[in-house]
């Protein structure tokens, strides 16, 4: 009876009994060992539970398991810093933001939920037929592009777009896409509108796409452009990155070189490279 009364007294005075363990009693190292097996969004949610969970969520070994295998390369090339100067959580957070490199013509983004790498290449980094001739092309500011500018083709007989990228990809299978739109977008009274009056020539012959890598991989595809009024990701092909510490050189192209007819009215934004399983996420980019 006396012992029971003592326990009740302790609970009423201190709010909890010292004989009853709670989350604050769990060692921070034990919490961190559990967090390392969770996804980043889950880790961030649990970090709000209490001070112990917050401290555990900052542990380097927790976040190192979420970073891509090439994170040191990314920190040096993209962030321009030494990997040792940043905590692993800070590296993860900064890589999850769009990071431009090579004079703003290329961009790297880490997917927050999976830690997988995506790369985008602006049209400004590509070799494009007549791109500096105002009779053919115009450069338009656009909120719909991660690079804030797109190229609009008014009319041309021969179109060839060629690009190259040297990058150290984590091991995995990747897909490469051209981001295109038939029609020129504008805003009227705050609403999105797309003028397709100049769209022509893309249904006569298919556009040919090609991809090659420095280790001998090849991929080709062709299709008619059909996405009027909305952006489409036209798949060129897939490649496999299997060497974690060696940059892979990619060469990719888009061609419509049938000179029997003109073609025009297309917007070119960028080339996008992502893990093959991300195809359903392309609209986010």
């Amino acid at each position: 009876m006396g012992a029971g009364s003592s326990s009740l007294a302790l609970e009423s005075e201190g709010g909890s009994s010292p004989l009853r363990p709670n989350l604050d009693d769990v060692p921070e190292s034990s919490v961190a060992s559990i967090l390392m097996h969770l996804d980043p969004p889950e880790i961030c949610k649990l970090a709000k539970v209490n001070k112990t969970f917050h401290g555990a969520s900052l542990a380097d070994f927790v976040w190192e398991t979420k970073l891509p295998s090439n994170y040191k390369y990314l920190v040096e090339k993209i962030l321009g810093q030494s990997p040792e100067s940043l905590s692993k959580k800070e590296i993860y957070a900064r890589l999850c933001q769009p990071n431009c490199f090579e004079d703003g013509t290329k961009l790297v983004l880490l997917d927050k939920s999976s830690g997988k790498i995506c790369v985008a290449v602006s049209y400004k980094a590509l070799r494009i037929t007549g791109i500096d001739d105002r009779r053919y092309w115009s450069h338009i500011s656009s909120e719909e592009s991660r690079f804030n500018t797109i190229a609009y083709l008014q009319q041309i007989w021969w179109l060839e777009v060629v690009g190259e990228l040297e990058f150290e990809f984590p091991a995995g299978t990747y897909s490469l896409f051209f981001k295109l739109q038939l029609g020129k977008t504008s805003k009227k009274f705050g609403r999105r509108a797309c003028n397709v009056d100049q769209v022509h020539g893309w249904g006569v012959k298919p556009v040919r796409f090609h991809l090659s890598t420095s280790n001998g991989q090849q991929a080709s595809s062709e299709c008619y452009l059909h996405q009027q009024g909305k952006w489409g990701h036209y798949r060129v092909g897939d490649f496999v990155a299997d060497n974690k510490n060696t940059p892979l050189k990619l060469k990719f192209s888009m061609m419509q070189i049938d000179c029997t007819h003109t073609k025009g009215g297309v917007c070119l934004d960028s080339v996008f490279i992502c893990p093959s399983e991300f195809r359903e996420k392309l609209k986010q980019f």
Side-chain angles (χ1 to χ4, degrees):
M1 193 66 180
S5 300
S6 174
S7 176
L8 289 172
L10 285 170
E11 286 190 44
S12 60
E13 292 174 11
S16 64
S17 170
L19 301 178
R20 295 183 180 181
N22 56 45
L23 288 176
D24 290 322
D25 299 321
V26 181
E28 189 174 293
S29 59
S30 299
V31 175
S33 296
I34 296 172
L35 294 182
M36 70 182 292
H37 297 290
L38 303 179
D39 292 331
E42 296 174 320
I43 296 173
C44 293
K45 287 180 182 179
L46 289 174
K48 300 176 183 178
V49 170
N50 58 28
K51 291 182 179 180
T52 302
F53 275 68
H54 176 72
S57 73
L58 301 177
D60 272 352
F61 74 86
V62 170
W63 289 97
E64 189 159 17
T65 62
K66 313 305 173 188
L67 289 168
S69 59
N70 68 337
Y71 78 88
K72 292 183 179 180
Y73 165 84
L74 294 173
V75 172
E76 293 173 350
K77 181 178 178 65
I78 310 303
L79 302 183
Q81 292 186 250
S82 167
E84 289 73 29
S85 67
L86 302 170
S87 71
K88 299 300 186 292
K89 183 178 181 180
E90 186 176 359
I91 291 174
Y92 192 93
R94 291 182 62 177
L95 290 178
C96 283
Q97 301 298 317
N99 290 283
C100 292
F101 63 105
E102 294 190 11
D103 298 323
T105 61
K106 296 180 177 70
L107 179 150
V108 174
L109 180 66
L110 192 71
D111 179 64
K112 292 181 180 179
S113 59
S114 67
K116 299 290 185 68
I117 285 292
C118 301
V119 182
V121 181
S122 167
Y123 79 89
K124 292 182 179 180
L126 310 179
R127 299 192 302 277
I128 304 172
T129 308
I131 189 64
D132 296 321
D133 193 326
R134 293 183 181 179
R135 293 175 299 173
Y136 305 127
W137 294 91
S138 56
H139 305 269
I140 305 172
S141 297
S142 173
E143 297 176 352
E144 298 179 348
S145 170
R146 285 192 175 273
F147 296 99
N148 301 315
T149 308
I150 59 175
Y152 177 69
L153 174 63
Q154 297 160 95
Q155 181 171 290
I156 206 166
W157 287 91
W158 172 297
L159 176 63
E160 185 172 1
V161 181
V162 179
E164 296 181 357
L165 173 69
E166 183 174 2
F167 194 80
E168 185 179 304
F169 290 93
T173 302
Y174 296 83
S175 298
L176 187 144
F177 302 83
F178 274 84
K179 184 180 176 183
L180 309 167
Q181 175 185 270
L182 293 180
K184 181 164 62 173
T185 304
S186 62
K187 280 193 174 181
K188 292 183 178 180
F189 306 108
R191 293 188 176 183
R192 185 183 190 274
C194 191
N195 187 326
V196 297
D197 291 347
Q198 288 185 307
V199 176
H200 69 283
W202 303 109
V204 180
K205 291 287 180 69
V207 174
R208 295 180 178 179
F209 300 97
H210 185 72
L211 164 68
S212 62
T213 69
S214 55
N215 61 1
Q217 299 177 69
Q218 303 273 342
S220 297
S221 63
E222 61 177 44
C223 70
Y224 295 92
L225 303 189
H226 58 275
Q227 293 275 71
Q228 287 201 12
K230 60 180 180 179
W231 290 101
H233 290 82
Y234 293 85
R235 180 172 167 270
V236 179
D238 298 345
F239 66 92
V240 176
D242 52 15
N243 192 328
K244 298 179 181 179
N245 301 310
T246 302
L248 189 64
K249 294 181 180 179
L250 307 179
K251 186 173 182 179
F252 40 88
S253 63
M254 163 186 167
M255 297 184 187
Q256 218 301 4
I257 55 178
D258 186 331
C259 293
T260 62
H261 66 285
T262 62
K263 62 281 298 180
V266 68
C267 287
L268 171 58
D269 176 29
S270 58
V271 169
F272 191 71
I273 304 155
C274 66
S276 295
E277 64 269 26
F278 275 31
R279 292 176 190 175
E280 298 301 318
K281 293 186 176 184
L282 286 174
K283 290 183 180 180
Q284 300 176 18
F285 304 98

